[in-house]
Amino acid sequence: MPKPPFASKSGGSATVVIGNKSIELPISRGTIGPDVVDVRKLYSDGDVFTYDPGFTSTASCESAITYIDGDEGVLLYRGYPIEQLAEHSDFIEVCYLLLHGDLPSADQLKTFRNAITRHTMVHEQISMFFRGFRRDAHPMAVMCGVVGALSAFYHDSTDINDPMQRTIASHRMIAKMPTIAAMAYKYSIGQPFIYPQNNLNYSENFLRMCFAVPAEEHKSNPVLARALDRIFILHADHEQNASTSTVRLAGSSGANPFACIAAGIACLWGPAHGGANEAALKMLEEIGHVSRIPEYVARAKDKNSGFRLMGFGHRVYKNYDPRAKVMQQTCHEVLDELGIRNDPLLQVAMELEKIALNDPYFVEKKLYPNIDFYSGITLKALGFPTSMFTALFALARTVGWIAQWAEMIEDPSQKIGRPRQLYVGAPKRDYVPVHKR
Ligand code: CMC
């Protein structure tokens, strides 16, 4: 995988005054987006740390993969707007783009597609590994375990210092994630695992592995497969979000790539992150009818209720999430194709969106629908149970995690991630034997 084509440039300096000491800190400039103040020498020169819980103002790395302008609602993969990729590209081409930095030539794309297609099967013993889980295990619990276990099966792709092994590990994970996610689903409903089929494209193959049964012919629906492919594109990367930062942090210690991706899956599971699509659909089902929307909007505005409108708000987007726009359109396409007219959940979602977008609370706090608002309805219509939603997110995000992990490994300035803290515990004190306490 190539090095980023451009590195940051010097953009002047900032002066920090601590007591009677003045410290000059360099400012670095990227290609677009805010400059950063490089605080690396703050501790050695000033004996202070910066304090930024939740990393709201902290850039943890240089990256050339994904750019978000949260105020304008812009998302670019390697410079290409998400809307253009969703319309013209497909998930495998987007995987190549994220991993390699540029769109592939026809030959490069063919070779890459072939490599991914040829890695979709999992070691046969992995099916026995599945049987150790309870049938009612959440698919994300299964994914964390099985993806972590891949390092026990593929010893020839765990050496992070070998570029060839890193590439093989990347191809394996992109290729096997649909197989593993589909197996998690089949296991939960007690149906036999369906092997991948190489004459199908990535999304058709995944739909078949989820919904085919050995007793019947399975016919893929190109409209639904294309919609799922677009959902994968929308979820493929999102710069330094919680799960990606987790993958980078895990990888910074030199952990093998399968272990790092398993760490990312664990982080993604939380309802404030990838688990929000499941939570958003459950919320829409709970609301049930447009007449109950005002009650839920009032609860979301009441700090003491502990309730938030799931699928609303974002740490970075203070405008409409550009992915949500494409997702809304995809949602309509899927429902039309399936002949689902007047879906009550869609009606609740559209009305809720309208009300929230005009409510001063949401307007002032710049809370807009995010990608998860419409994805739940779409995935439900495609036939997935809510418990699978986050697993699908993990499947699609795997390429982003891998691209970010590889970029970090290839970055000569990479160090083990090791934040500092503001200690507020007891100062040094002497141990007191238990009979004297
Ligand atoms: N409903 C009601 N109020 C909200 C919501 C919401 N969904 N989101 C934020 N707020 C309020 C929050 O109470 C706070 O109010 P105040 O300033 O009065 O204390 C203010 O808006 C800022 O919220 P925050 O929690 O400080 O913002 P954050 O950047 O830390 O959180 C978030 C971002 C996504 C965690 C949050 O908006 C949220 O919990 N949303 C619902 C869960 C969700 O949809 N998550 C999916 C994110 S998109 C998928 C992904 O990329 O993972």
Side-chain angles (χ1 to χ4, degrees):
M1 282 165 218
K3 283 187 143 356
F6 22 66
S8 60
K9 293 190 175 59
S10 167
S13 65
T15 307
V16 177
V17 179
I18 300 165
N20 54 9
K21 207 172 189 183
S22 177
I23 302 165
E24 186 111 323
L25 298 170
I27 293 180
S28 300
R29 187 152 286 171
T31 39
I32 36 177
D35 296 345
V36 301
V37 180
D38 183 341
V39 296
R40 276 178 287 188
K41 63 175 187 172
L42 199 57
Y43 179 49
S44 60
D45 292 6
D47 203 25
V48 291
F49 297 139
T50 55
Y51 181 64
D52 185 17
F55 309 118
T56 53
S57 296
T58 298
S60 59
C61 59
E62 276 190 18
S63 181
I65 301 174
T66 292
Y67 174 75
I68 303 173
D69 182 334
D71 292 326
E72 296 298 322
V74 170
L75 170 61
L76 311 176
Y77 292 166
R78 300 286 191 181
Y80 296 100
I82 190 68
E83 297 85 352
Q84 290 184 24
L85 293 170
E87 191 177 345
H88 303 296
S89 187
D90 70 18
F91 182 65
I92 291 296
E93 188 180 54
V94 167
C95 288
Y96 185 99
L97 173 69
L98 288 170
L99 291 174
H100 295 274
D102 283 306
L103 287 168
S105 67
D107 278 352
Q108 286 167 330
L109 184 57
K110 195 171 160 205
T111 308
F112 183 69
R113 246 186 238 291
N114 191 44
I116 299 301
T117 306
R118 300 277 161 190
H119 277 294
T120 48
M121 279 178 33
V122 292
H123 193 291
E124 195 58 20
Q125 250 176 295
I126 287 179
S127 60
M128 288 185 261
F129 190 80
F130 266 88
R131 294 185 211 290
F133 290 99
R134 280 170 53 141
R135 290 272 174 195
D136 60 356
H138 194 286
M140 285 298 277
V142 175
M143 299 278 286
C144 287
V146 176
V147 174
L150 292 179
S151 52
F153 287 91
Y154 300 103
H155 302 285
D156 59 346
S157 48
T158 54
D159 179 356
I160 62 158
N161 299 312
D162 178 345
M164 183 52 89
Q165 293 206 24
R166 291 203 297 272
T167 301
I168 295 173
S170 307
H171 291 172
R172 281 192 169 132
M173 277 186 279
I174 295 167
K176 293 184 199 310
M177 208 56 95
T179 314
I180 293 169
M183 287 170 87
Y185 173 55
K186 286 298 199 191
Y187 186 73
S188 71
I189 55 170
Q191 287 186 2
F193 299 141
I194 302 289
Y195 285 102
Q197 201 166 295
N198 286 355
N199 62 342
L200 297 177
N201 70 32
Y202 194 83
S203 302
E204 284 171 340
N205 193 31
F206 178 60
L207 286 170
R208 183 178 168 277
M209 287 190 288
C210 287
F211 300 123
V213 287
E216 276 175 20
E217 252 328 281
H218 179 264
K219 198 163 164 22
S220 57
N221 178 327
V223 177
L224 301 185
R226 175 71 190 130
L228 185 64
D229 201 76
R230 204 174 294 134
I231 293 173
F232 291 160
I233 293 173
L234 297 179
H235 286 88
D237 194 46
H238 214 224
E239 54 120 300
Q240 309 310 320
N241 56 83
S243 58
T244 301
S245 298
T246 301
V247 170
R248 279 188 179 254
L249 199 56
S252 75
S253 74
N256 75 68
F258 302 106
C260 297
I261 301 304
I265 295 172
C267 177
L268 184 75
W269 195 358
H273 192 7
N277 51 16
E278 188 174 340
L281 189 83
K282 281 188 181 147
M283 179 194 73
L284 293 174
E285 284 173 341
E286 197 184 304
I287 297 175
H289 193 267
V290 285
S291 62
R292 299 189 62 201
I293 291 174
E295 179 197 325
Y296 280 80
V297 170
R299 273 179 66 198
K301 287 158 50 175
D302 175 6
K303 284 258 171 295
N304 300 322
S305 72
F307 173 77
R308 285 185 170 198
L309 280 191
M310 300 314 285
F312 258 80
H314 198 274
R315 168 61 62 80
V316 182
Y317 293 118
K318 301 303 168 198
N319 199 327
Y320 211 102
D321 179 341
R323 303 168 301 170
K325 280 190 192 149
V326 182
M327 185 57 83
Q328 189 195 45
Q329 185 196 333
T330 304
C331 180
H332 284 290
E333 281 168 20
V334 166
L335 297 183
D336 283 352
E337 174 65 17
L338 294 170
I340 303 174
R341 313 254 175 259
N342 306 322
D343 179 55
L345 289 182
L346 185 63
Q347 281 174 358
V348 172
M350 286 171 57
E351 189 59 22
L352 179 58
E353 178 184 348
K354 206 158 67 187
I355 291 176
L357 287 179
N358 288 300
D359 188 296
Y361 173 93
F362 291 90
V363 173
E364 276 156 28
K365 294 186 192 301
K366 299 186 175 168
L367 299 169
Y368 291 84
N370 59 50
I371 187 168
D372 291 321
F373 194 62
Y374 284 102
S375 64
I377 304 173
T378 318
L379 294 175
K380 180 173 184 261
L382 284 169
F384 293 102
T386 43
S387 61
M388 277 296 288
F389 292 179
T390 317
L392 268 85
F393 191 159
L395 182 172
R397 182 57 58 84
T398 294
V399 63
W401 290 330
I402 293 169
Q404 300 269 353
W405 169 83
E407 185 181 68
M408 180 194 69
I409 301 284
E410 286 159 22
D411 182 347
S413 66
Q414 187 263 327
K415 281 176 182 290
I416 186 167
R418 178 41 171 108
R420 303 306 297 259
Q421 62 173 10
L422 177 63
Y423 179 67
V424 293
K428 185 170 180 250
R429 50 184 168 166
D430 288 325
Y431 178 80
V432 180
V434 69
H435 63 276
K436 290 196 177 164
R437 281 175 224 158

